[in-house]
């Protein structure tokens, strides 16, 4: 039995407004919930739990604090007395090093992995430019999946689901479809107790306010999720999709939003898991208790 966590950066539950919300303009079977309105059931008998990303701190929720909370269960915004954007501060890195779900899963004898493919040059970045997800894995001894050999061997996936970004960066990698990446992710998840995949282009689109680009990314996500959920055994596994803050759901502004984020659950024991989720800092503890 595995738990697959699909972290999609910067998606909130917004208004049913086709002029500003891509989820309203390009209806998706996986994101049918809007403020005060539902467009129908979630595909594959999924369950949506509106989840508070504010952590009780004023201001717009941000990536570094939100992701740290998701990956540790610690109210990181209160630890800083503010929301923090981008990459983790020294304080947040310390929280991730001590409280990471990867570290705790390892200590409990579980196997965990991060399915995203990395290039060697990523790890030459300054520490202030390393993501929360990366710091979370670094807290453990679980290895990262690299372009070579894992991505080339079909044992890792690119963050954009197609490897187009890596190809444009000059890496010799195969261009894949979202469906193929989904099949790879399901195979990876089957080999461990916990698997994380991170998709952050939704947040980039939200800041760009480009509706045409939003349509492209949402189509990729729909195709990806359709394949993941049709290939994984939902009688034996749990799929968890969540986010750190709103953004993509309101292209009328270039900033993040105050909207709740969707935690969407499919598969084994989803109802019991859903009952434990109220704020984003509830996610990590629920994973550890699954």
């Amino acid at each position: 039995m595995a738990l697959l966590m699909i972290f999609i950066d910067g998606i909130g539950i917004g208004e049913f407004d086709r002029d500003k919300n891509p989820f309203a303009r390009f209806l998706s079977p996986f994101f049918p919930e809007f403020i005060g309105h539902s467009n129908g059931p979630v595909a594959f008998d999924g369950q949506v739990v509106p989840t508070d990303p504010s952590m009780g701190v004023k201001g717009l929720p941000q990536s570094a604090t939100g992701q740290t909370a998701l990956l540790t269960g610690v109210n990181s915004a209160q630890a800083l007395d503010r929301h923090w954007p981008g990459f983790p501060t020294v304080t947040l890195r310390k929280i991730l090093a001590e409280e990471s779900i990867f570290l705790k899963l390892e200590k409990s004898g579980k196997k965990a992995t991060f399915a995203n493919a990395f290039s060697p040059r990523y790890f030459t970045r300054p520490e202030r430019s390393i993501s929360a997800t990366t710091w979370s894995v670094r807290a453990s001894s679980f290895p990262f999946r690299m372009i070579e050999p894992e991505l080339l061997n079909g044992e890792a996936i690119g963050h954009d689901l197609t490897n187009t970004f890596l190809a444009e960066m000059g890496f010799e990698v195969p261009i894949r479809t979202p469906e193929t990446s989904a099949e790879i992710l399901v195979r990876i998840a089957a080999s461990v107790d916990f698997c994380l995949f991170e998709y952050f282009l939704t947040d980039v689109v939200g800041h760009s306010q480009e509706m045409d680009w939003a349509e492209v990314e949402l189509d990729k996500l729909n195709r990806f999720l359709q394949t993941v959920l049709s290939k994984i055994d939902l009688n034996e596994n749990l799929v968890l999709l969540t986010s750190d803050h709103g953004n993509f759901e309101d292209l009328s502004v270039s900033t993040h939003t105050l909207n709740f984020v969707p935690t969407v659950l499919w598969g084994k024991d989803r109802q019991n898991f859903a009952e434990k989720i109220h704020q984003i800092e509830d996610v990590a503890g629920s994973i550890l208790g699954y």
Side-chain angles (χ1 to χ4, degrees), residues 71 105 171 216:
L71 295 165
L105 287 166
F171 294 100
V216 171

Side-chain angles (χ1 to χ4, degrees), residues 114-129:
F114 190 16
N116 292 60
F118 284 80
S119 67
R121 74 178 67 165
Y122 180 86
F123 297 103
T124 66
R125 290 182 173 191
E127 289 189 345
R128 65 179 181 276
S129 299

Side-chain angles (χ1 to χ4, degrees), residues 8-15 20-23 33 35 51-63 65-66 83-85 202-203 205-209 243-262 280:
I8 302 182
D9 197 335
I11 60 169
I13 300 174
E15 299 175 25
K20 66 181 183 181
N21 188 348
F23 293 125
E33 295 295 314
I35 295 172
T51 307
D52 186 356
S54 72
M55 293 181 270
V57 174
K58 292 182 179 180
L60 295 177
Q62 299 292 334
S63 296
T65 37
H83 297 283
W84 190 263
T202 36
D203 192 48
V205 170
H207 290 301
S208 78
Q209 299 179 268
S243 190
D244 50 352
H245 56 75
N247 184 358
F248 181 87
E249 79 284 0
D250 187 354
L251 298 187
S252 69
V253 295
S254 62
T255 61
H256 295 174
T257 71
L258 293 170
N259 292 327
F260 277 30
V261 300
I280 57 172

Side-chain angles (χ1 to χ4, degrees), residues 6 11 27 46 53 84 97 108 110 112 120-121 161 165 170 173 185 191 194 204 223-224 229 259 267 282 285:
I6 299 173
I11 60 169
L27 294 177
W84 190 263
S108 68
K110 300 291 182 66
R121 74 178 67 165
L161 303 178
F165 174 82
V173 295
L185 182 61
S191 68
F194 173 75
V204 179
R223 293 163 58 191
F224 173 73
L229 294 166
N259 292 327
D282 295 331

Side-chain angles (χ1 to χ4, degrees), residues 5-208:
M5 178 176 175
I6 299 173
F7 165 61
I8 302 182
D9 197 335
I11 60 169
I13 300 174
E15 299 175 25
F16 192 78
D17 185 334
R18 293 183 176 90
D19 291 331
K20 66 181 183 181
N21 188 348
F23 293 125
R25 179 174 291 197
F26 313 112
L27 294 177
S28 166
F30 305 106
F31 306 100
E33 295 295 314
F34 305 92
I35 295 172
H37 172 73
S38 174
N39 194 53
V42 182
F44 293 90
D45 198 28
Q47 181 172 353
V48 179
V49 182
T51 307
D52 186 356
S54 72
M55 293 181 270
V57 174
K58 292 182 179 180
L60 295 177
Q62 299 292 334
S63 296
T65 37
Q67 291 167 29
T68 299
L70 283 170
L71 295 165
T72 65
V74 174
N75 189 319
S76 50
Q78 286 191 3
L80 293 183
D81 197 29
R82 62 166 294 179
H83 297 283
W84 190 263
F87 303 107
T89 63
V90 172
T91 298
L92 296 179
R93 296 200 294 266
K94 185 174 186 294
I95 292 171
L96 286 159
E98 295 175 352
E99 303 293 339
S100 161
I101 54 173
F102 282 90
L103 175 64
K104 291 182 177 180
L105 287 166
E106 184 176 35
K107 286 183 175 180
S108 68
K110 300 291 182 66
K111 293 178 63 178
T113 193
F114 190 16
N116 292 60
F118 284 80
S119 67
R121 74 178 67 165
Y122 180 86
F123 297 103
T124 66
R125 290 182 173 191
E127 289 189 345
R128 65 179 181 276
S129 299
I130 298 290
S131 71
T133 46
T134 306
W135 285 112
S136 182
V137 179
R138 269 188 168 177
S140 71
S141 64
F142 294 123
F144 288 93
R145 293 173 184 264
M146 307 299 291
I147 293 174
E148 188 174 351
E150 284 87 3
L151 182 75
L152 298 182
N153 291 342
E155 298 171 346
I157 57 179
H159 75 265
D160 60 357
L161 303 178
T162 64
N163 299 337
T164 301
F165 174 82
L166 291 172
E168 291 175 348
M169 291 288 290
F171 294 100
E172 294 186 6
V173 295
I175 299 301
R176 292 183 173 134
T177 64
E179 291 85 355
T180 299
S181 290
E183 291 173 354
I184 292 170
L185 182 61
V186 170
R187 290 199 299 270
I188 294 170
S191 68
V192 294
D193 299 297
F194 173 75
C195 178
L196 170 67
F197 171 66
E198 176 181 14
Y199 186 86
F200 61 80
L201 289 177
T202 36
D203 192 48
V204 179
V205 170
H207 290 301
S208 78

